[in-house]
Amino acid sequence: MQKHTFTIALLLSCLALVGSAQYSLLDQYILTVIMFMGINIILSSSLNIINGYMGEFSCGHGGFMCVGAYVSSVLSVALFTKDKVFGPALLPPDLAWLGFPFVILAGAGVAAIAGLIVALPSFKTRGDYLAIITIAANYMIISAIENMDVIGGPRGFQGMKRVINAMGDTADIPWMLIWIIIGTLFSIWIIRRFVSSTYGKGIIAISQDEVAAEIMSVNTNKMKIAAFMLSSGLAGLAGGLFAHVYGYVNPQSFNIMKSTECLVMVYLGGMGSLSGSVLSAVLFTMLIEALRFVIPEIDSLMHTMGILPDSYEISQVWKWVIIPLILFFLMQFRPEGILGNRELPDLFPKLRKLYSFR
Amino acid sequence: MLQGFLQYVINSLQWGSFYALIAVGYTLVYGVLLLINFAHGDIFMVGAYIAFFVSSMLIAELSGFASGWMLVAMAVPLTMLLTACVGVTLERVAYRPLRKKGAHRLYVVITALMCGLILENGNLALLGASRKKFPEMVDTVVLNIGGASITNLKLMVIFAAIGVFLFLHWIVTKTKLGMAMRAVSFDKFAVPLMGIPLNTVIVFTFILGSGFAGLAGMLFAMSYPILEPYMGALIGWKAFIAAVVGGIGDIRGAFIGGFLLAFIEIGVASVLPSSFRDLFAFSILLVILWMKPTGLFGIAKTTKI
């Protein structure tokens, strides 16, 4: 029994969340923040495969998220709703709840294939140049999608809300929250399994010393392909969920800023630490939401103190100064993050009794 | 036909000059420090804004006494000096502490990226989202060369790029400072033992690179007089691609890469819709890095085991 404490507690808390959402105990805003926490957990832990465990530097995570978001949105709108562009629904909308996971997984699959753009050059190039390739991939994906007029181009794409409503017609439960919880748990589970498998050992070997790993018969190219595809695939999964929570996607919302957010989360949590990624994603989401309220407060405070001229107000743009600044100071003073290369049980050994890892 | 081609060459030369002037900054810093200064594109943006403020100030103070060209001649060194200060500040605040700690190179790269974002968004937050209009300092004169039109501004940009190239080539090959730079890029650990002041050389590198970014900003603002905080991001990336194409760490490579990229981009833009330009530029980068990871002039390095 003691071995399963953690799993049972997790399931119970998820059930409590869904239940409180169902009976409107939590207001819509808090639910949205919780959903974004889930999405950010997927993003940061998936980027941690490359930046943390493999020791490479990928900063184009937003691009793969974009691929997943667009593919799953277009698929779900084309399959389950009547749309101006794609015509009538190809499948009855009653099946939306059944088809939704497959749609999201399709988006993740295409994003994983897009990850090959980065994975193939990574055989030869390393370090800074690979960072450039990832950023170039991010720009390329966004640019390519902006040039597709069928799916809205730079204006964005919408209609996913109708899919969610179709699910709500089938059964009136908080569908999106359930999908996000399932997606988050699935990603964490798969990353945990991956990292502790032979592949994960190989990836950690690559991060230590690539040449030595190659000599010790680690098939580095295969490992790199697996790591990049898994990472970008999970980013695509997060993107699909993101698109359906918002109900609207725009290529510019997945630009280098989004990638920076992912980077901040990874380095805040600590490289090569899954629990650190989860922790930092939760903290970071809270911080971002707190800034929404704190910035106007600071603004009014400074105006009453008379520090600022009346014409100037501190706007939400400062958020984008503060986020890079966090990472800047992290790099200067604590580059290993909260839990660098350690998991929570390493810090609190008593936790080991509460779960069994198979 | 020939007329159109000549026009295309002139436009590409002008566009390539901007790329080359920015790419030189990337190349210098990389050659000495083996660090990709990701904030360089934003230093170019800061240079354009500094040029805007300097020029506005000069026009307000001296518009009655000096002609337009004299104002430009005064504004250019001032802009270069102030932008160089920004670059050196960046090096002092962000890179030097990390270098002293002997931090992993990855952390330096991340810091550079973040500095760029801070500069962009800090500018947006401080000066607002309204675009600034650069004041017109000199009257444009359109010259005709074999049916192709060229303005005096374009000529100035092209000549400035060529002048900067000759100047840099002279510095790197003929002066003591250039020799010190080459020594630092050859072996960073032996250089301080030989009595070469390492930090001075590095600061000088940043002064040169940022100063030319400031010059590029000034010329760019004179040619395309609309300033916005994100102007440095994309052109900085493109200039970086140019530096990589030419082989980073090589001044000739930076210039040739810049002009080559401009020729390709403007060629693409004349055939396909202009929104495909970025896609093309980045695809070229990917292909080049895939085929020849060190660029056209780069020397392949072997990793020691």
Side-chain angles (χ1 to χ4, degrees):
Chain A
M1 189 64 205
Q2 199 185 23
K3 278 285 183 207
H4 299 294
T5 313
F6 179 74
T7 325
I8 291 167
L10 192 69
L11 284 176
L12 280 179
S13 57
C14 290
L15 276 175
L17 242 178
V18 175
S20 56
Q22 173 71 359
Y23 298 110
S24 321
L25 300 175
L26 293 171
D27 66 334
Q28 202 54 47
Y29 174 68
I30 292 182
L31 276 182
T32 314
V33 173
I34 288 172
M35 288 191 210
F36 280 126
M37 271 179 199
I39 290 167
N40 281 342
I41 286 171
I42 303 176
L43 281 176
S44 71
S45 52
S46 63
L47 187 60
N48 211 340
I49 298 174
I50 295 177
N51 282 24
Y53 290 104
M54 206 162 83
E56 292 291 3
F57 182 53
S58 160
C59 39
H61 217 52
F64 304 120
M65 196 178 163
C66 188
V67 173
Y70 262 86
V71 170
S72 59
S73 312
V74 169
L75 268 180
S76 70
V77 168
L79 286 178
F80 303 116
T81 65
K82 197 158 80 60
D83 195 70
K84 283 202 289 289
V85 182
F86 302 107
L90 299 173
L91 295 172
D94 304 344
L95 290 178
W97 65 276
L98 199 65
F100 186 76
F102 294 103
V103 165
I104 295 277
L105 283 178
V110 178
I113 291 165
L116 282 175
I117 303 177
V118 179
L120 293 175
S122 78
F123 297 164
K124 266 189 180 177
T125 43
R126 217 175 298 163
D128 315 1
Y129 282 98
L130 192 65
I132 296 143
I133 288 177
T134 55
I135 291 177
N138 194 341
Y139 268 106
M140 273 167 68
I141 288 166
I142 286 172
S143 181
I145 284 179
E146 276 190 337
N147 281 317
M148 291 180 196
D149 246 2
V150 183
I151 50 176
R155 294 182 306 282
F157 181 82
Q158 55 191 10
M160 286 76 86
K161 278 284 182 229
R162 296 202 295 271
V163 182
I164 310 298
N165 293 339
M167 282 192 239
D169 293 340
T170 316
D172 191 19
I173 49 175
W175 280 109
M176 246 7 263
L177 183 68
I178 295 172
W179 289 130
I180 282 181
I181 288 174
I182 293 173
T184 311
L185 293 180
F186 169 76
S187 324
I188 292 177
W189 174 78
I190 208 167
I191 291 171
R192 175 81 181 149
R193 302 290 301 194
F194 179 81
V195 169
S196 55
S197 70
T198 325
Y199 275 90
K201 300 274 190 293
I203 284 164
I204 294 168
I206 288 175
S207 88
Q208 301 286 337
D209 190 336
E210 195 169 337
V211 181
E214 185 75 55
I215 291 168
M216 296 306 282
S217 80
V218 175
N219 188 344
T220 47
N221 289 357
K222 192 172 144 190
M223 297 291 169
K224 278 178 177 172
I225 283 191
F228 272 108
M229 282 183 82
L230 180 67
S231 172
S232 48
L234 288 174
L237 187 135
L241 292 169
F242 177 87
H244 284 84
V245 169
Y246 252 116
Y248 165 76
V249 276
N250 179 341
Q252 281 307 325
S253 54
F254 301 107
N255 59 4
I256 197 95
M257 289 290 174
K258 194 79 201 170
S259 308
T260 308
E261 275 188 44
C262 304
L263 281 177
V264 174
M265 285 189 279
V266 170
Y267 289 105
L268 185 71
M271 294 152 82
S273 159
L274 191 54
S275 41
S277 288
V278 174
L279 203 69
S280 72
V282 171
L283 282 175
F284 182 77
T285 319
M286 283 184 187
L287 176 81
I288 295 278
E289 293 303 325
L291 280 180
R292 263 181 225 279
F293 303 110
V294 170
I295 286 176
E297 289 293 323
I298 293 176
D299 185 47
S300 58
L301 184 75
M302 284 179 103
H303 275 295
T304 47
M305 286 166 73
I307 301 171
L308 285 175
D310 290 337
S311 57
Y312 181 77
E313 63 161 334
I314 296 179
S315 61
Q316 292 294 337
V317 179
W318 281 98
K319 190 171 89 174
W320 287 111
V321 183
I322 292 169
I323 292 170
L325 262 179
I326 296 171
L327 196 45
F328 178 90
F329 284 118
L330 262 178
M331 290 298 126
Q332 296 280 352
F333 300 112
R334 196 177 161 79
E336 69 270 26
I338 303 173
L339 306 160
N341 280 326
R342 291 189 307 258
E343 299 290 349
L344 267 180
D346 299 338
L347 291 180
F348 306 105
K350 289 216 168 91
L351 286 177
R352 281 181 209 280
K353 288 181 192 155
L354 300 182
Y355 70 94
S356 67
F357 175 65
R358 279 194 302 276
Chain B
M1 182 63 215
L2 180 73
Q3 195 177 322
F5 180 72
L6 206 64
Q7 188 67 53
Y8 159 69
V9 167
I10 288 169
N11 289 345
S12 307
L13 277 178
Q14 183 216 12
W15 199 233
S17 303
F18 292 128
Y19 283 161
L21 281 175
I22 305 170
V24 139
Y26 278 113
T27 286
L28 280 172
V29 173
Y30 188 87
V32 170
L33 274 183
L34 295 184
L35 152 76
I36 296 173
N37 183 7
F38 276 123
H40 195 71
D42 297 304
I43 289 179
F44 158 79
M45 179 271 296
V46 170
Y49 269 80
I50 288 175
F52 167 79
F53 288 118
V54 165
S55 313
S56 308
M57 187 196 77
L58 282 177
I59 285 175
E61 297 288 327
L62 304 169
S63 57
F65 309 104
S67 66
W69 286 109
M70 271 170 77
L71 284 179
V72 171
M74 276 186 244
V76 163
L78 253 176
T79 306
M80 285 174 77
L81 194 74
L82 289 170
T83 319
C85 288
V86 173
V88 171
T89 311
L90 199 69
E91 196 268 337
R92 271 292 161 93
V93 172
Y95 306 150
R96 190 177 293 185
L98 286 173
R99 209 171 52 239
K100 272 196 179 141
K101 279 179 210 155
H104 196 282
R105 285 184 49 205
L106 196 70
Y107 301 150
V108 188
V109 171
I110 294 169
T111 304
L113 258 176
M114 290 310 115
C115 287
L117 287 174
I118 291 168
L119 282 176
E120 274 173 30
N121 294 304
N123 181 348
L124 186 67
L126 286 173
L127 298 176
S130 59
R131 299 182 169 190
K132 299 242 179 302
K133 173 93 176 65
F134 197 78
E136 196 166 305
M137 297 172 85
V138 287
D139 302 327
T140 43
V141 181
V142 181
L143 310 166
N144 264 320
I145 301 176
S149 63
I150 180 165
T151 62
N152 52 356
L153 277 179
K154 280 186 187 179
L155 263 181
M156 186 174 80
V157 170
I158 295 167
F159 277 118
I162 295 168
V164 164
F165 172 68
L166 294 174
F167 173 72
L168 271 178
H169 202 78
W170 172 75
I171 278 206
V172 171
T173 51
K174 294 277 189 296
T175 61
K176 266 213 163 126
L177 180 73
M179 205 189 279
M181 279 183 184
R182 280 179 291 153
V184 172
S185 82
F186 188 77
D187 189 342
K188 212 178 347 187
F189 296 101
V191 158
L193 305 176
M194 295 288 144
I196 300 171
L198 182 69
N199 277 335
T200 316
V201 175
I202 288 171
V203 163
F204 247 98
T205 314
F206 269 88
I207 286 176
L208 281 176
S210 310
F212 292 132
L215 174 69
M218 172 100 195
L219 295 173
F220 190 86
M222 282 172 78
S223 312
Y224 307 97
I226 301 288
L227 305 182
E228 48 138 2
Y230 291 106
M231 65 191 264
L234 201 58
I235 201 171
W237 276 113
K238 298 281 185 58
F240 178 76
I241 295 174
V244 170
V245 168
I248 197 156
D250 186 303
I251 290 174
R252 282 169 313 164
F255 274 83
I256 286 174
F259 287 118
L260 194 70
L261 186 70
F263 270 94
I264 292 170
E265 271 202 346
I266 290 185
V268 168
S270 60
V271 180
L272 292 167
S274 63
S275 54
F276 279 89
R277 217 170 55 178
D278 304 348
L279 196 63
F280 236 81
F282 284 112
S283 312
I284 288 168
L285 171 82
L286 276 189
V287 170
I288 285 192
L289 280 181
W290 202 353
M291 299 290 170
K292 235 178 124 64
T294 45
L296 299 176
F297 283 84
I299 307 142
K301 281 196 188 116
T302 50
T303 35
K304 281 186 186 162
I305 303 172

